[in-house]
Amino acid sequence: MSVDMPSPLLGGRLPHLLYGGDYNPEQWPEEVWAEDVVLMREAGVNLVCVGIFSWARLEPTPGTFEFGWLDRVLDLLHGGGMSVALATATASPPPWMAHRHPESLPQLADGTRLWQGGRQQYCPSSPVYREHAVRLVEALARRYGDHPAVVAWHAGNEYGCHVPACWCDVSAAAFRNWLRARYQTLEELNRSWGTDFWSQRYGDWEEVIPPRTAPTYPNPGQQLDFRRFCSDALLECLTAERDVLHRLTPELPVTTNLMGPYEHLDYWRWAEELDFCSHDSYPDPADPGSYVDAAMAQDLIRSLRGGDPWLLMEQTPGRVNWRRRNVAKRPGMMRRWSYQALARGADGTLFFQWRASRAGAEKFHSAMVPHGPLDRSRTWDEVRQLGSELSGLDAVIGTRVEATAAILVDWPSWWALELPSKPSGDVRLLEQIGDWYRALHRCGVTVDFVRAGADLSRYALVVVPNLYMVERETATRLESFVEGGGTLAVGFFSGIVDGFDQIHLGGYPAPLRRLLGVMVEDFRPLAEGEQVGLRFGDGPVAATGSLWSEIVHADGADVLATYAEGELAGLPAITRRGGAYYVSTRLDEGGLLGMVLALCERAGVRGPLPVPPEVEAVVRSGEGRRILFLLNHGGAETPVAVGEGAEVLIGTPADGETITLEPGGVSVIRLT
Amino acid sequence: MSVDMPSPLLGGRLPHLLYGGDYNPEQWPEEVWAEDVVLMREAGVNLVCVGIFSWARLEPTPGTFEFGWLDRVLDLLHGGGMSVALATATASPPPWMAHRHPESLPQLADGTRLWQGGRQQYCPSSPVYREHAVRLVEALARRYGDHPAVVAWHAGNEYGCHVPACWCDVSAAAFRNWLRARYQTLEELNRSWGTDFWSQRYGDWEEVIPPRTAPTYPNPGQQLDFRRFCSDALLECLTAERDVLHRLTPELPVTTNLMGPYEHLDYWRWAEELDFCSHDSYPDPADPGSYVDAAMAQDLIRSLRGGDPWLLMEQTPGRVNWRRRNVAKRPGMMRRWSYQALARGADGTLFFQWRASRAGAEKFHSAMVPHGPLDRSRTWDEVRQLGSELSGLDAVIGTRVEATAAILVDWPSWWALELPSKPSGDVRLLEQIGDWYRALHRCGVTVDFVRAGADLSRYALVVVPNLYMVERETATRLESFVEGGGTLAVGFFSGIVDGFDQIHLGGYPAPLRRLLGVMVEDFRPLAEGEQVGLRFGDGPVAATGSLWSEIVHADGADVLATYAEGELAGLPAITRRGGAYYVSTRLDEGGLLGMVLALCERAGVRGPLPVPPEVEAVVRSGEGRRILFLLNHGGAETPVAVGEGAEVLIGTPADGETITLEPGGVSVIRLT
Amino acid sequence: MSVDMPSPLLGGRLPHLLYGGDYNPEQWPEEVWAEDVVLMREAGVNLVCVGIFSWARLEPTPGTFEFGWLDRVLDLLHGGGMSVALATATASPPPWMAHRHPESLPQLADGTRLWQGGRQQYCPSSPVYREHAVRLVEALARRYGDHPAVVAWHAGNEYGCHVPACWCDVSAAAFRNWLRARYQTLEELNRSWGTDFWSQRYGDWEEVIPPRTAPTYPNPGQQLDFRRFCSDALLECLTAERDVLHRLTPELPVTTNLMGPYEHLDYWRWAEELDFCSHDSYPDPADPGSYVDAAMAQDLIRSLRGGDPWLLMEQTPGRVNWRRRNVAKRPGMMRRWSYQALARGADGTLFFQWRASRAGAEKFHSAMVPHGPLDRSRTWDEVRQLGSELSGLDAVIGTRVEATAAILVDWPSWWALELPSKPSGDVRLLEQIGDWYRALHRCGVTVDFVRAGADLSRYALVVVPNLYMVERETATRLESFVEGGGTLAVGFFSGIVDGFDQIHLGGYPAPLRRLLGVMVEDFRPLAEGEQVGLRFGDGPVAATGSLWSEIVHADGADVLATYAEGELAGLPAITRRGGAYYVSTRLDEGGLLGMVLALCERAGVRGPLPVPPEVEAVVRSGEGRRILFLLNHGGAETPVAVGEGAEVLIGTPADGETITLEPGGVSVIRLT
């Protein structure tokens, strides 16, 4: 790693891309540990995550810590040249916590308690859990903060993956405290939630509860604030640990493994609290389009901290165990998808897990070291090959992905959009974002994600799919962006409510009406299977819309396309006012692709070089070097013109100015 | 309104058809109220329902009433010429009730509690709820009973729409009391429920509980009585309020908004307790046949009080918010469907709601006044147009719908039929009634509904679909009807059990065997997707049956059709003994239409005039005038011959003796 | 019944095949009882089961017994020549138990309590239930043990059919006791469950609970042991009753009605505790293949006690009442299916039930005596005809079914296989067993079932579908079997884990690798709808696999077929090492049939005589006589060559050496 461009990962201590996996030695006899270190060296591993589920071993009874075994593990790893991201071990409390403190168990909206026996059985707001967790973290930090193997902290694990919310009485009290802090007065809460609707007005704070199972829709404001509270409650679990760690081991970075566009946690706020982002990536090999979803998730993770390099903390070498049918990665797929993470900003990749478990719920999750003989394991062969390759890619470390297009995503708007009792319950944000992302990906364009209210001036093109909730600051930023020459595309059902899920009166979408030059008179959701044709100018029907339509009035906007049929025949479907486009329906794939091509053309946005559909091309750059990643997800050998002077780091050497991508193949090229 | 034919609605005080909506001023600042009244006048509104969800505003803490705001609202409305149906405001108790009296919250069969935060979170048997409700109603009656704007009481709201039943301990105790009153002795309960089956015999009243989640089917008698009890428990909530109101304001009529053929409440019993019926109508605009279902629901509502005029209390001007996809009414549809209600006996139509909410779970439910600018709202245009039209239709008030055919429906039989562990779990009463209704509708015949045990002598044709439970009195009435020359059609699986869901022994359908001249040896439910051909006389296969078949022996009946295939080949499928027809399978649409045509022919039943399939023609008459409603649900311009001397009240003026219905158009014609 | 071959049924007291049904006189007035006995004689009944749900009648309040009515019933039956299998009446406790001891009610994993009102509402581990049950059984045994009508005990009824498991606190304590007995130390439990995974290590026995609803997958060892515990807990209910009965009435055999391949109870262990097996058989007449499933269930029941004759305790004469659509048996089907039971080893058949109930949840379940007139009931005709026929088949009694092929089934392996988080969640044991059984049935081969660890030397062919869990003893038995010349076929995903659901390390399937001569490198589950072609030798693609594939290495095995496509192209799909075959995918029907034909050919296994596809031919033999059963499940008249000297007991007399089976017909032939 060059000194002038330190990776935020691991405090800049490591010279190579990170490679390794979760290591759970407590599942194995000590004699296996030594063999593990030998095999890690053989595989090119340089980093392992240790102790993620070790709480019950580290603190077998409350307040009694047993560190001896972990001392030996860390010393052994250090002796073998491994670095360690040490877990805070708080991902799953030992059974004694549930037994001694049953009120620490989470509860669902219908009152169902979630018991010990699996993992993550804690109420995020539980003081019992939090106090015990912090005590353990402090003990770990004091004992291992200066262990030479330890280079980072891995706090918790996949926060909220099973229990993102809890409706118990402990949570209810915490929710009320959170609401007091937000609203100060009960009158303000009543106003913000609109409790005059349906006789919901509160007269006493104690009457307020989480949105438990109710006769019908609970108050939307209550539901929305509960989503906010749940994200915050888990985040407090993280920051409580992080604060201890920063205090006791200020030089060690703290991360946790995020899960891409995870609905329940506002990762924009979470990322602020991390020293670097980590990510777990599990696209389904049975789905031929899943690699594009994976790219999108990785672009999001990178964007969460402004483009900083991040770490692929978990992927599987082969299969997972939690789908109905766990199809395995085909040969070369694990390698290609690993390079995809690097291409999109990762400075390393780890696997879940190092050695496949003999027992427990994940024993059929593939691992770097399989159950059977290594000498006849293609998984092991692939793991070693990748480890070997990555050791030669130091040049990648710390470079940053180039992107001039962005998609705006906002968690509270997402939550509000998908609350029930909408014009259409089938408007799902990830589907809408996915539509736009796939079209941009198909155009070869690398995309950042941006948050609501962010400065957009570094982008030429910004897409805003279904931003149902728009606060003043966001509208202003969008206006400034367009005024500054930016090209903006806004999807339907945007700008409808304020931060309390209350309608912006004055004609939809009130805060964006001036910017977009339209007024939406009313919504016309389409029935299941219903489609409506669209016509550009006087042309024939050239695209179709589904899911949604609207009665749009052009108030200053140009009408680019009109509805061709039905009640809306002749009315505007797609409009443009200066650089601000509005799309009032869900376009079919071809229609959206045409739209995106036009947007890119106007904005001057394009990919690093022309590539066929199933090839990804992404450039990372920095400090005078540009590194091109080419990934061939298709089954055909594909030539790609990469220009003069390219240095092939990975892949078939260039024939003059052209490189040949094998079917499923990868190339990494230093352009300058 | 003519003096000689007072509408039961509103005590005959209003001279015009009623027009307006639910008005929830507490959701808006007072400055909006004045604007509301101006707009109401512009829209032709003459009646609004106020206070339906105002409990939390009226009684912010238990026992403390705040009426000032409502005083101002009512005075303002009165000043603007509006009349008010004042709600009893008990539809949803304030959060303080749940908090202070958690035992007032309802519980599902599996023990799940339903919490505050939505609406209607009360156990129907809760003494706490009932006492608080009555106290509030008494306070309202004393304060507003003689307010000049108030012309009626709107008790509760859509009783039981979310919580038609409760399985909590409070309900259990109330259920036992109800059972004691019904059976006097435990021995009688044991006999009636047949508790010698499966060792269910009770030795103590306290052992009896609602049919909570059990290892398998609870006792059918227990389930059936629980359905009866649940309907009665909610009805007691209504009558407790009604009694207060009748005592304190004897001149003001009391109504509540019913919901068509609502499964959970025995509306025959409910309607007896009301001064007039109201109805909420929400057919799905995405379903091209939903207007026929709406017609059926309205015919039922009208029939509940023997044909008295009723009030369409709620419909939407555009969209609802509670379907998965809420397709909007197309242009003209709201108007046409409003006239459909008038055609079928309504003396007015109101909307939910006057002004679209900014907040809460129904903010995307369309309203008369939308969120956006009125000057570009087709909803507002349609609302004003309809209001204007209705003001010219005073002649309609108080007339009654002409019908000579009827369908029998009985709630306890419905409940018993759809309890589990039947020969086929797919025999659903509404589907069977719907089959017959649609065929009659297709023939242009207007239909009344009648209850079991009713005198049928005013009808020429009566249809009895799936009257699984038949008590002696009903059988006698049906016999008298046929003896009196009536034409009767009985659907399969009728007459099987008595009022305790115990088999009538002696050969199915024992109480109807003599009347129908058949004995059903056994049932032969058909498999999913299975069909069986039917042959009339020696003809070819001319119809098909699905869902059900039976081994029928003709004991005096003529065999009109036989099964053409399989085990039942050659055995009777449709029989007739005198005027009594029996149909032992579910006929396909064409087959049933042919059957109904024959029945109508025999009974001399026909519609007011010949119309094409998608046109409805209904006549209301009384005191020397007959008013014809013509509704064109189709997309084609349609001429209709209406005869001489017709006065067109609404619609394109008649060309000689023929009127032209526009696509989707409406005509109202005074025939005499 | 011949003295030299006593049937285990009823202690050898009865001279004829058993015929009758469940008799529930408490549901009827006493005057009906006398008529019942007359009708029983008319129907040829010789055995009825009395009192199955009589607990509430026998013990109306705790500790007070009322036997008078039962005295009269038994005397009446005895007077009429009927024998009685007297129920222990413990299948469903009276409501007073739930009311007085709510802790005796079962609870689901999510905490839902199952209440009284249906049946079987007891926690299997409840001391309250068990003590009351044993007290009742003792009272019954003392009173009726020497009643001349009583020939056997019918303990409980369909144990566990609704409540096979309970998660309540009482069950939790019992589960812990069961675990203590199994593991002695908590350390051993931790080791066996692999609790170092996910921080699940227990520090105190009290922390251990049943696998209640948890945030995600509970520990597999915990789940597997809970399945074992649940089967044992119910079995203890049975053996507690059995012990009382054996002590007080040692001469009366004890049985209970099993339910074929019932997932929740390890019937191998259950059958050990019975004096003879009984079986309830309810194939769906709407499913044309259900008779093969019924045959399989009956072969299993017979095998549970090593081929001893058994009793068909329940079937329906016509319809059941618990399917969504309860299609009735077509004419002749009840007779044919009754003979199927005899063919597969039953020494009699009973029905549920004698007389159709008027009330209760099963009133629409057909019975021997229907609701309607007997003189026009084809059910009653069929019942009488069968009774008459069976009285002439004494020669069948006590003979045993001939079978040289067997399928291995093991309940704990079944449970472990279907726990979640597997490579594919769609590998279901019954489907895999069904595939093999149907192919063998199609070849006319009669099959026994064998348990894991059993001596297999009496068979020529053994099939082992998906024996996921293999313990050492089982592997040894399989090796001995093949070494002894047996032909063995092992299905994919076998031999993966030990008895604690922990992976056998050393290459899958470690305990079978030597036997099969293969090593499975990794699993390749196929996606929904995905298929892969198979090629035998160099031939064309001749079969397809679905659901599953594997990377198989042949380590000494011959490769019989290879995968033809995709990642596995050219790799082994089906192998053979000596007599041991391995099939690594789910073969399509034709492919598996070819496989089974080859296996039978090698093993010298064949049916008693060649028959077309829809004809079953099974031979029972013993003490010098061989009896051939021929069942024509098809719709065509079918000639079958049966050889010389055959004596036709049932069916159209033989024409020379050939018999003609009518469509749907049956023949029973004494061959020697």
Side-chain angles (χ1 to χ4, degrees), chain B residues 10 18-27 40 45-54 69-70 73-74 77 82-89 149-157 255-257 276 278-280 311-315 349-355 368:
Chain B
L10 314 193
L18 297 169
Y19 191 61
D22 281 2
Y23 181 44
N24 298 300
E26 64 270 50
Q27 295 176 22
M40 285 175 191
V45 166
N46 54 24
L47 181 75
V48 289
C49 294
V50 176
I52 292 174
F53 290 100
S54 299
W69 69 272
L70 184 54
V73 167
L74 294 184
L77 288 167
M82 300 298 131
S83 291
V84 170
L86 188 58
T88 59
V150 176
V151 297
W153 291 107
H154 179 304
N157 181 62
T255 192
T256 192
N257 43 348
F276 65 92
S278 300
H279 174 53
D280 293 353
L311 177 60
L312 182 58
M313 185 70 93
E314 292 187 17
Q315 64 165 327
T349 179
L350 278 57
F351 295 92
F352 177 83
Q353 60 180 329
W354 166 251
R355 182 182 282 276
M368 299 169 84

Side-chain angles (χ1 to χ4, degrees), chain C residues 42 63 82 100 133 195 232 270 290 372 391 412 426 429 445 456 458 539 555 672:
Chain C
E42 186 178 335
M82 300 299 131
R100 295 179 186 224
T195 56
D232 286 359
W270 277 66
S290 65
S391 66
D426 286 331
L429 186 67
V445 173
L456 305 171
R458 50 190 287 229
D555 283 359
T672 53

Side-chain angles (χ1 to χ4, degrees), chain A residues 182-496:
Chain A
R182 177 171 172 84
Y183 293 115
Q184 311 299 325
T185 69
L186 196 55
E187 181 53 35
E188 188 60 20
L189 177 146
N190 277 312
R191 199 199 57 73
S192 301
W193 288 7
T195 56
D196 283 313
F197 177 80
W198 281 359
S199 188
Q200 296 166 347
R201 174 165 283 271
Y202 295 97
D204 188 299
W205 282 103
E206 291 302 308
E207 295 164 14
V208 183
I209 57 170
R212 293 179 180 160
T213 303
T216 181
Y217 313 121
N219 180 287
Q222 178 193 17
Q223 292 189 73
L224 175 59
D225 274 349
F226 185 66
R227 302 296 296 263
R228 290 180 168 117
F229 159 76
C230 289
S231 177
D232 286 359
L234 271 169
L235 183 53
E236 283 173 16
C237 294
L238 169 71
T239 54
E241 298 189 3
R242 193 267 330 262
D243 291 348
V244 170
L245 297 169
H246 276 189
R247 176 165 49 84
L248 297 178
T249 63
E251 74 291 354
L252 290 179
V254 177
T255 191
T256 191
N257 43 347
L258 307 177
M259 297 168 286
Y262 184 61
E263 182 185 351
H264 297 283
L265 304 181
D266 183 349
Y267 277 167
W268 291 116
R269 299 192 50 170
W270 277 66
E272 292 172 355
E273 308 292 346
L274 298 174
D275 294 314
F276 64 92
C277 285
S278 300
H279 174 53
D280 293 352
S281 181
Y282 292 106
D284 187 354
D287 171 4
S290 64
Y291 75 89
V292 183
D293 299 330
M296 184 173 100
Q298 292 162 359
D299 285 346
L300 172 65
I301 292 292
R302 177 188 70 247
S303 303
L304 290 174
R305 288 188 57 82
D308 286 352
W310 53 280
L311 177 60
L312 182 59
M313 184 72 92
E314 291 186 17
Q315 64 164 326
T316 179
R319 274 177 292 103
V320 297
N321 62 302
W322 39 265
R323 293 198 174 93
R324 186 80 196 157
R325 300 203 180 192
N326 298 289
V327 170
K329 290 176 177 171
R330 287 176 293 283
M333 194 179 258
M334 182 275 277
R335 174 175 177 257
R336 189 167 68 252
W337 289 6
S338 297
Y339 278 102
Q340 188 191 47
L342 300 183
R344 296 187 180 273
D347 271 5
T349 180
L350 278 56
F351 294 93
F352 177 83
Q353 63 180 329
W354 166 250
R355 181 182 283 274
S357 300
R358 278 198 69 185
E362 296 187 317
K363 59 181 170 287
F364 290 111
H365 195 297
S366 301
M368 300 169 83
V369 177
H371 291 136
L374 292 183
D375 59 352
R376 290 198 287 183
S377 165
R378 55 200 74 183
T379 295
W380 178 243
D381 291 346
E382 292 186 3
V383 160
R384 283 185 306 168
Q385 184 203 338
L386 181 61
S388 167
E389 285 181 11
L390 295 188
S391 68
L393 288 176
D394 301 350
V396 171
I397 296 173
T399 56
R400 303 169 76 89
V401 172
E402 297 179 351
T404 56
I407 295 176
L408 190 150
V409 63
D410 179 64
W411 265 264
S413 180
W414 183 0
W415 297 328
L417 175 70
E418 299 191 4
L419 291 178
S421 73
K422 288 292 185 305
S424 171
D426 287 332
V427 180
R428 314 306 288 175
L429 186 68
L430 276 193
E431 290 180 10
Q432 302 306 316
I433 290 182
D435 282 0
W436 286 98
Y437 186 89
R438 275 188 298 276
L440 286 159
H441 189 273
R442 177 69 186 72
C443 297
V445 173
T446 307
V447 172
D448 278 352
F449 284 83
V450 290
R451 71 195 293 184
D455 176 16
L456 305 170
S457 56
R458 49 191 287 228
Y459 297 105
L461 170 64
V462 170
V463 174
V464 180
N466 280 104
L467 191 67
Y468 167 69
M469 175 186 292
V470 167
E471 302 197 67
R472 191 62 242 156
E473 188 188 1
T474 303
T476 305
R477 289 290 195 184
L478 294 175
E479 286 168 3
S480 306
F481 172 66
V482 174
E483 284 161 14
T487 299
L488 173 72
V490 174
F492 62 89
F493 206 45
S494 292
I496 306 303

Side-chain angles (χ1 to χ4, degrees), chain C residues 399-591:
Chain C
T399 55
R400 303 169 75 88
V401 173
E402 297 180 352
T404 55
I407 295 175
L408 191 151
V409 63
D410 179 65
W411 265 264
S413 179
W414 183 359
W415 297 329
L417 175 69
E418 299 191 4
L419 291 178
S421 74
K422 288 292 185 305
S424 171
D426 286 331
V427 179
R428 314 308 286 177
L429 186 67
L430 276 193
E431 290 179 10
Q432 302 306 315
I433 291 182
D435 281 0
W436 286 97
Y437 185 90
R438 276 188 296 277
L440 286 159
H441 189 274
R442 177 68 187 73
C443 296
V445 173
T446 308
V447 170
D448 279 351
F449 283 83
V450 291
R451 71 195 295 185
D455 176 15
L456 305 171
S457 56
R458 50 190 287 229
Y459 298 103
L461 170 63
V462 170
V463 174
V464 180
N466 281 105
L467 189 68
Y468 167 68
M469 176 186 291
V470 167
E471 302 196 68
R472 192 61 242 156
E473 187 188 0
T474 303
T476 304
R477 290 289 196 184
L478 295 174
E479 286 168 2
S480 306
F481 171 67
V482 174
E483 283 161 13
T487 299
L488 173 73
V490 175
F492 62 89
F493 206 45
S494 293
I496 306 302
V497 298
D498 64 18
F500 305 105
D501 195 26
Q502 298 212 10
I503 301 287
H504 287 297
L505 297 179
Y508 317 117
L512 305 178
R513 275 183 64 185
R514 195 183 51 185
L515 169 63
L516 299 173
V518 300
M519 195 279 283
V520 174
E521 179 187 322
D522 210 348
F523 314 121
R524 287 292 180 265
L526 300 178
E528 187 74 37
E530 191 181 353
Q531 291 194 327
V532 59
L534 266 63
R535 195 189 304 281
F536 292 80
D538 298 329
V541 170
T544 60
S546 63
L547 180 63
W548 191 272
S549 63
E550 289 173 343
I551 306 175
V552 179
H553 296 266
D555 283 359
D558 299 331
V559 177
L560 301 187
T562 54
Y563 289 103
E565 306 154 350
E567 178 189 350
L568 304 183
L571 297 184
I574 303 175
T575 62
R576 182 176 70 81
R577 177 169 177 272
Y581 293 71
Y582 182 66
V583 184
S584 68
T585 184
R586 184 182 192 181
L587 290 172
D588 65 296
E589 192 178 335

Side-chain angles (χ1 to χ4, degrees), chain B residues 136-328:
Chain B
L136 173 63
V137 172
E138 182 157 346
L140 283 166
R142 290 195 189 282
R143 188 167 192 102
Y144 300 111
D146 55 3
H147 192 285
V150 176
V151 297
W153 291 107
H154 179 304
N157 181 62
E158 294 185 341
Y159 276 95
C161 66
H162 307 303
V163 187
C166 172
W167 287 258
C168 78
D169 288 342
V170 171
S171 289
F175 183 40
R176 283 189 290 270
N177 285 340
W178 186 95
L179 290 168
R180 271 183 217 259
R182 177 171 172 84
Y183 293 113
Q184 312 300 324
T185 68
L186 196 54
E187 181 52 36
E188 188 60 20
L189 177 146
N190 277 312
R191 198 199 58 72
S192 302
W193 288 7
T195 56
D196 283 313
F197 178 79
W198 279 0
S199 188
Q200 295 166 347
R201 173 164 285 270
Y202 294 97
D204 188 298
W205 282 103
E206 291 301 310
E207 295 164 15
V208 183
I209 57 170
R212 292 178 180 161
T213 303
T216 182
Y217 313 120
N219 179 287
Q222 178 194 16
Q223 292 188 73
L224 175 59
D225 274 348
F226 186 67
R227 302 296 296 263
R228 290 181 170 117
F229 159 76
C230 289
S231 177
D232 286 0
L234 272 170
L235 183 53
E236 283 174 17
C237 294
L238 170 70
T239 55
E241 297 189 4
R242 194 266 329 263
D243 291 348
V244 170
L245 296 169
H246 276 188
R247 177 165 50 84
L248 297 178
T249 63
E251 73 292 354
L252 289 179
V254 178
T255 192
T256 192
N257 43 348
L258 306 177
M259 297 168 287
Y262 183 61
E263 182 186 350
H264 297 282
L265 304 181
D266 182 348
Y267 276 167
W268 291 116
R269 300 191 50 169
W270 277 66
E272 292 172 355
E273 309 292 347
L274 298 174
D275 295 315
F276 65 92
C277 285
S278 300
H279 174 53
D280 293 353
S281 181
Y282 291 106
D284 187 353
D287 171 5
S290 64
Y291 75 89
V292 184
D293 299 331
M296 183 174 100
Q298 291 163 357
D299 286 345
L300 172 65
I301 292 292
R302 178 188 68 248
S303 303
L304 290 175
R305 288 187 57 83
D308 285 352
W310 52 280
L311 177 60
L312 182 58
M313 185 70 93
E314 292 187 17
Q315 64 165 327
T316 178
R319 274 177 293 103
V320 298
N321 63 301
W322 40 264
R323 292 198 174 92
R324 186 79 196 159
R325 299 202 181 193
N326 298 289
V327 170

